[in-house]
Amino acid sequence: MTQQREVQAPVGTGLERTLGVPQIVFMVVAFAAPLTVFAGLIPLMLGTGNGIGTPVDFVIVGIVLVIFTVGYSAMTPEVRNAGAFYSYVRRGLGTTVGLGAAALALVTYAVLMVSVTGYLGAAARNVIVTFTGVSVPWWILSASGLAAIGYLGYRNVEVSARVLGVLLVAEIGIVALVDLSIVLRGGAEGLSAQPLSWGAFTSGATGTGIMFAVFGFVGFEATAVFRSEAKDPDRTVPRATYIAVILIAVIYAFSSWAMINGIGVSRAAELAAQDPEGLAPGLATRYVSQVAHDGVQVLLVTSFFACILTAHNVVSRFLFALGRQDALPRRVGEVHPAHRSPHVASVLTSAVISMLVAVTAIAGLDPVTQVYAWFGGAGTLGLISLLALTSAAIVVHFLRERTTSLWRGTVAPVLALAALGAILVLVVSNFDVLIGSATLADVFLAVLAAAFVAGLLWALALRRNRPDVYATLE
């Protein structure tokens, strides 16, 4: 099939193409939030998942996502829109299913943003208590963070990339410092390769470990959302995706192995179950210094901030792409005349997330054990569903259009679909464990299902009432 050339927006109407591979990788890895995984997720996996087999969880999920990226990157040159999941699914499975995926993606990212915003407020509160002894309500600090994120999101994306770059370097730096200090000092009981063994992986609740590992990779797929601002999207997006997945997998697998050795292989699971929140700061104090302990606390706040900022940029660009095609009101697809940013979509994103966070605060939910855990679990399920749907779309597309190799267009996507399907079944069957309540699990499942169905109905309404718009959607 002859590929169409990407149509460039006229000067003054399109987003500015300023992003290279490093900037996109910065934003995606910031979305994955390495320090939050190191300080929050890994201890949780050690205590409630498959214990010292945690490093293998990240390796396996990383391999699955690299295989997924093979088909994802093969399809990138044939997808001209920056709508990511929507654009890929629409290309393979049709406009109706594509808009269903778009609605599901918007809800998925929204609940993830609410989740992390809750923890941002709690982490900032802990820092203020540590240094001043004053306790500030978490929701005030969350609101302050959202205001700053809204300002950055309103401006050109390159400004956000610079901020994320600085925060990410500091964040990875403190994790690397603690990891290397543990390794150089030989850990608590001597360095052991046991956490990397198959026996360790299959011990304990392996399914729960895999679920949490997927949560740690949230955001890797967001590279495609920045297509309209990439300097050379057909090359930049695939390269950034591969680099992001591999970098995230290596950081998490190595950090979890180092943490287990720092605690001691024989006691890691037990101590993590007793005090998951205190593990990372405790290791920083033990193997580095009290200053490192305080640095972990402070950078944990900036890590959450960077994660939300990237998610904000992703959601606003989803909305922008749909607005540009008239699937949403055209105003949502407007570009700021000075900043060259999707400012209307950014403001809309800020308003919706602020409202949802306000609802959780008014309801009196705990920002960590309820807001972060519940909404984060729901977001994980939504992401896995979208990845599986995208894999199916890639398979169908390349069966219809033989424009790439058998490996890239069929074998790899089929393998990814099978693996993601198995993980999806695993997550759904254990979803009440992840959420902590069978009733709430059913509620979140219903919300995600309703989002997809609403997208389908939205598509059918467009096809009936605005067939010209429906026919031109990309």
Side-chain angles (χ1 to χ4, degrees):
M1 183 184 76
T2 302
Q3 295 180 16
Q4 296 178 343
R5 294 182 58 192
E6 186 163 9
V7 178
Q8 301 291 331
V11 176
T13 62
L15 299 179
E16 194 171 4
R17 291 187 178 276
T18 59
L19 300 182
V21 172
Q23 292 96 328
I24 295 178
V25 170
F26 272 141
M27 286 189 283
V28 170
V29 177
F31 195 172
L35 184 56
T36 65
V37 172
F38 179 73
L41 190 60
I42 292 174
L44 194 61
M45 294 169 69
L46 289 174
T48 63
N50 48 342
I52 65 170
T54 293
V56 184
D57 294 335
F58 288 118
V59 172
I60 289 176
V61 172
I63 291 172
V64 170
L65 295 183
V66 166
I67 294 173
F68 168 84
T69 302
V70 172
Y72 195 63
S73 62
M75 199 163 172
T76 295
E78 305 193 24
V79 176
R80 320 314 302 177
N81 191 283
F85 284 131
Y86 154 71
S87 299
Y88 285 73
V89 174
R90 190 215 66 82
R91 185 79 171 179
L93 302 179
T95 300
T96 299
V97 180
L99 287 177
L104 177 58
L106 287 170
V107 171
T108 294
Y109 285 124
V111 297
L112 286 171
M113 287 181 70
V114 172
S115 166
V116 181
T117 301
Y119 211 139
L120 169 68
R125 179 184 60 191
N126 291 340
V127 169
I128 294 174
V129 169
T130 296
F131 290 103
T132 70
V134 177
S135 180
V136 180
W138 69 268
W139 55 268
I140 292 179
L141 300 173
S142 291
S144 300
L146 286 177
I149 287 164
Y151 170 76
L152 290 172
Y154 188 86
R155 297 178 61 84
N156 187 285
V157 70
E158 192 172 9
V159 176
S160 297
R162 289 173 186 161
V163 172
L164 291 173
V166 173
L167 296 181
L168 185 60
V169 168
E171 181 180 340
I172 293 179
I174 193 69
V175 172
L177 178 62
V178 176
D179 287 347
L180 293 177
S181 297
I182 292 172
V183 172
L184 292 175
R185 295 179 61 179
E189 303 168 351
L191 300 180
S192 171
Q194 186 181 349
L196 302 176
S197 68
W198 186 255
F201 170 69
T202 55
S203 65
T206 303
T208 302
I210 290 291
M211 278 194 299
F212 283 127
V214 174
F215 190 13
F217 282 84
V218 166
F220 86 93
E221 76 294 337
T223 51
V225 176
F226 298 100
R227 177 180 185 87
S228 296
E229 292 147 288
K231 294 176 182 177
D232 184 2
D234 290 350
R235 294 184 179 181
T236 301
V237 171
R239 289 178 182 175
T241 307
Y242 277 117
I243 292 172
V245 171
I246 294 170
L247 184 60
I248 291 168
V250 170
I251 291 173
Y252 292 171
F254 182 76
S255 292
S256 56
W257 174 81
M259 177 176 282
I260 292 166
N261 279 280
I263 302 168
V265 173
S266 64
R267 305 181 62 204
E270 176 188 353
L271 293 179
Q274 292 174 0
D275 183 23
E277 294 182 19
L279 281 191
L283 288 172
T285 303
R286 179 178 176 181
Y287 288 94
V288 187
S289 66
Q290 181 62 39
V291 174
H293 171 282
D294 296 341
V296 167
Q297 281 198 313
V298 172
L299 288 172
L300 187 60
V301 176
T302 63
S303 177
F304 280 122
F305 181 88
C307 177
I308 301 166
L309 176 56
T310 302
H312 176 98
N313 286 333
V314 169
V315 172
S316 61
R317 277 147 186 81
F318 259 119
L319 294 172
F320 172 81
L322 293 169
R324 294 285 280 186
Q325 298 184 69
D326 289 328
L328 290 176
R330 177 169 287 274
R331 182 161 172 73
V332 178
E334 289 184 0
V335 178
H336 194 281
H339 302 311
R340 316 307 309 156
S341 65
H343 63 299
V344 176
S346 178
V347 170
L348 178 59
T349 301
S350 294
V352 171
I353 301 305
S354 297
M355 180 185 68
L356 292 174
V357 172
V359 169
T360 66
I362 292 171
L365 300 182
D366 181 88
V368 177
T369 61
Q370 296 176 320
V371 178
Y372 181 71
W374 296 350
F375 285 80
T380 301
L381 178 57
L383 175 64
I384 297 170
S385 302
L386 287 163
L387 291 173
L389 194 59
T390 302
S391 291
I394 293 170
V395 171
V396 172
H397 171 73
F398 284 119
L399 286 175
R400 185 171 58 236
E401 308 287 347
R402 302 286 186 174
T403 55
T404 191
S405 67
L406 182 65
W407 162 248
R408 298 183 71 204
T410 303
V411 178
V414 167
L415 290 174
L417 177 59
L420 289 165
I423 292 174
L424 181 60
V425 171
L426 190 65
V427 171
V428 171
S429 62
N430 291 275
F431 197 52
D432 57 341
V433 176
L434 183 63
I435 297 296
S437 164
T439 301
L440 282 171
D442 290 341
V443 170
F444 278 114
L445 285 169
V447 168
L448 294 172
F452 184 73
V453 171
L456 298 179
L457 295 176
W458 169 27
L460 294 175
L462 277 177
R463 188 170 65 180
R464 182 179 65 252
N465 301 323
R466 303 181 66 189
D468 54 329
V469 171
Y470 182 88
T472 58
L473 288 176
E474 295 181 351

